[in-house]
Amino acid sequence: MSHPAAKRKEGLPESAPVAVGVCLVLLTLGTPARAAGATGASCVTSCERHVQERVLRTQLCGRCLLVGSERRTGWLEGIGERQPFPADVVRSAMDDEDWTVAEAAVRAQAAHLGRPVEAVAARWLLQSSGEIRSRACTHVFRFGAAQHRTFPQVRARMANAGGPDGVRAASVLSSCQPKARAALELGLYAMEPREQLEAVRHLAALLGVSPAEAVVAAMVSRSEETDPIAARALLLDAKEGGVPLGRALLRVATVRNQERVNRLVALYAQQIRTIARGRSDPDPLARRGVVAELRPYGPLAGPELEAMLADDDAGVRLAAARAIVEGEGRDFESAVRARLRPPRGAPAKGLSPSVQARWLELYAMSGKGHCRGKLVREVAKDASTPPPVRAAALSALASCRTADAQRVVFAALSSEDTEVRAAAVAALGDAPRSRAVGEAAAKALDDPALPVRLAALEVIAIQRPGGVQARIARLVDDPDARVRAAAVRTLGTIAAHAHVSKVADRLREDADRDVRIAAVEALGELGGPVAIGALTEAAANDPEGRVRYLARQRLGALGFRR
């Protein structure tokens, strides 16, 4: 391997990455400064602030376009092992106003010296003075807050792990704690969202309280005109995975805090009303966006989210249910169980059976393992459950192809309630094909209840059991037009050629247009001379234009042109 000095004599660059870095940095510096978020901008700005020597700037700042702008300390990564160590650069970075840059510099110095971070931080703190010391104190506390340590824990760790200077540095931290807290409270009112979010989370960690409690406490020394900024700080925390606002504020709504909490609630209520206007947007994706915007508000947006449980789009309904459950701090099954079967002694939520059924349907849609859980089977088996809820449970079990689920469905076929029997029959459509399923569906064809007979016809069209054609043909003469239409359509689906004449008679004689349309569809499936004759007559003579048109279409599909 050539020695670097030899390369320089030959006029070669010391390394290819440096050359690339030169190009990258020149490209970056040759353009106007951009806001953070443009690739490399914040990282380059931080690097340029502390690195003055041209070659070193090229090498360090060139990393920014490789690591991305969000890693604003990326230029400091690995600098602790660099030879020669750029001590002046690292010392300058330790005094940066950005705590993340200062922390990265302290860690780089610790790596270079082979000493604990606390020992380097203690020495840095003791060597600073005035305004720089105050800022260093705040930075040290923020280093700890990022590790979820409180003020006392940061001081104790400094005293115990900071080496000979640790005890003196811990004393300095004690004296500057009020200023550090004031600086963080001021950060709650920063206009830049990232700074504001970091401030609220750091202050909460250092005080050992929730972000909501930190914000409400900070409002004491501020006028009401600044409430919207304080409200935004807490909203940012909720949006970034913190506790939903309604639940967070409920925990701190003591008598002492009530007035400030009420001010925040009023601001959030106004925001919720504005967001909720999007519920009427015709685009389902936009309505899902409304749910996403309401989600951080938690229980405060409960009425708006509950209303979206009736949305036409299943995705919107499910997203709204998940947002409600998250706001309650429960898992999905616990939330649904509380709505269907509250614990003994707990107050019932007073939900109507239709709303309870909707929640059960959403639970089944959520993919939370309802086929393996007990809740849906419990509801489906319980005869005391309101019929709409039990029917929803049976519909949910249709996708569960386990023996236990099928036993529950078959048991419900003998229910005295029509809605439950119809749901049980419909659930057979998704069951594995078997003789028992076919016999159960065939038996349901004779049920006195219309919904059950209709469900049975749908199942037979899916399952196609043997020996049922004659029984279906009898339903072609059923008094109810919906049954007649379903029967003739099913005869076509299962290719019941022996009964094509009965289907043709429905097309010629039935007074109901929908039955005749179903007969046209069935005859198109069955084909043959009888079907073609009936379709030809309908194409020429049926009183309904729609029937005539469909008959011509079916004749064309069968190879006949008029």
Side-chain angles (χ1 to χ4, degrees), residues 269-293:
Q270 185 176 3
Q271 295 169 10
I272 289 168
R273 284 194 296 271
T274 301
I275 296 168
R277 291 173 188 158
R279 290 181 300 175
S280 59
D281 194 294
D283 184 359
L285 290 178
R287 299 199 301 277
R288 292 189 199 187
V290 171
V291 174
E293 287 190 72

Side-chain angles (χ1 to χ4, degrees), residues 125-139:
L125 193 59
L126 293 174
Q127 289 179 340
S128 59
S129 60
E131 181 181 342
I132 293 179
R133 172 174 280 190
S134 295
R135 184 165 65 229
C137 272
T138 302
H139 284 348

Side-chain angles (χ1 to χ4, degrees), residues 181-204:
R181 176 172 177 170
L184 288 171
E185 288 185 345
L186 182 63
L188 294 181
Y189 295 87
M191 297 309 296
E192 206 281 309
R194 177 186 61 80
E195 294 179 16
Q196 196 177 24
L197 178 60
E198 287 178 349
V200 70
R201 289 186 167 177
H202 288 176
L203 183 60

Side-chain angles (χ1 to χ4, degrees), residues 10-77:
E10 296 165 7
L12 297 174
E14 183 170 329
S15 67
V18 171
V20 173
V22 171
C23 295
L24 292 174
V25 173
L26 289 177
L27 284 170
T28 304
L29 302 184
T31 57
R34 293 171 289 172
T39 303
S42 62
C43 180
V44 168
T45 302
S46 171
C47 180
E48 289 180 334
R49 187 179 299 124
H50 303 290
V51 186
Q52 305 304 319
E53 199 275 319
R54 184 179 62 83
V55 174
L56 188 59
R57 174 181 282 198
T58 296
Q59 294 170 349
L60 295 180
C61 301
R63 290 183 52 82
C64 291
L65 291 183
L66 302 177
V67 301
S69 64
E70 292 303 314
R71 289 167 62 181
R72 54 192 186 275
T73 61
W75 65 277
L76 281 163
E77 292 175 4

Side-chain angles (χ1 to χ4, degrees), residues 178-236:
K179 288 186 178 179
R181 176 172 177 170
L184 288 171
E185 288 185 345
L186 182 63
L188 294 181
Y189 295 87
M191 297 309 296
E192 206 281 309
R194 177 186 61 80
E195 294 179 16
Q196 196 177 24
L197 178 60
E198 287 178 349
V200 70
R201 289 186 167 177
H202 288 176
L203 183 60
L206 290 165
L207 293 174
V209 299
S210 68
E213 192 167 348
V215 168
V216 171
M219 289 170 64
V220 172
S221 59
R222 297 278 166 172
S223 66
E224 290 189 30
E225 285 75 15
T226 62
D227 283 357
I229 305 176
R232 187 183 73 163
L234 196 52
L235 179 58
L236 286 170

Side-chain angles (χ1 to χ4, degrees), residues 64 84 165 178 183 197 205 243 268 270 302 323 359 374 402 408 419 561:
C64 291
D165 296 323
L197 178 60
V243 177
Y268 293 138
Q270 185 176 3
W359 271 100
K374 297 179 180 179
T402 63
V408 174
E419 189 173 4
R561 297 287 184 271

